[in-house]
Amino acid sequence: SSRQKSNEKWRESNLIKLSAHKIVSNAVQRNELIKPKSCSVCNKTGRVEGHHDNYAYPLLVRWLCCKCHNFWHKKNEVLI
């Protein structure tokens, strides 16, 4: 499908980001990194996403709700 091709293309062109996401996921599973239940900006509870300001530091994440995460990306540039 076109969505699958799009996902594959993203993975191929974003290997550093993909690696950082996997490192965070593995650290959370091993309880080495604690995923909070609320957004670090607005304190909304529910689903939070690990956000990297700089992918050179894969375990340095801030936990944001989807709304705050999208807002951050509209106002800032990610460092790789």
Side-chain angles (χ1 to χ4, degrees), residues 12-51:
E12 290 170 4
S13 59
N14 291 282
L15 294 176
I16 293 171
K17 291 180 181 182
L18 186 60
S19 175
H21 294 168
K22 287 181 179 180
I23 290 168
V24 168
S25 179
N26 290 339
V28 169
Q29 287 179 357
R30 291 189 305 264
N31 291 319
E32 295 170 358
L33 190 61
I34 305 301
K35 183 176 181 178
K37 298 190 185 313
S38 62
C39 176
S40 64
V41 174
C42 71
N43 291 317
K44 178 181 175 184
T45 57
R47 182 172 182 256
V48 292
E49 305 169 340
H51 165 77

Side-chain angles (χ1 to χ4, degrees), residues 38-79:
S38 62
C39 176
S40 64
V41 174
C42 71
N43 291 317
K44 178 181 175 184
T45 57
R47 182 172 182 256
V48 292
E49 305 169 340
H51 165 77
H52 294 91
D53 289 347
N54 186 334
Y55 284 98
Y57 305 96
L59 290 175
L60 186 59
V61 294
R62 67 173 85 200
W63 298 98
L64 305 172
C65 68
C66 188
K67 184 177 178 180
C68 289
H69 199 177
N70 289 334
F71 182 78
W72 191 96
H73 280 282
K74 287 180 183 176
K75 301 291 181 188
N76 299 281
E77 188 175 324
V78 176
L79 300 175

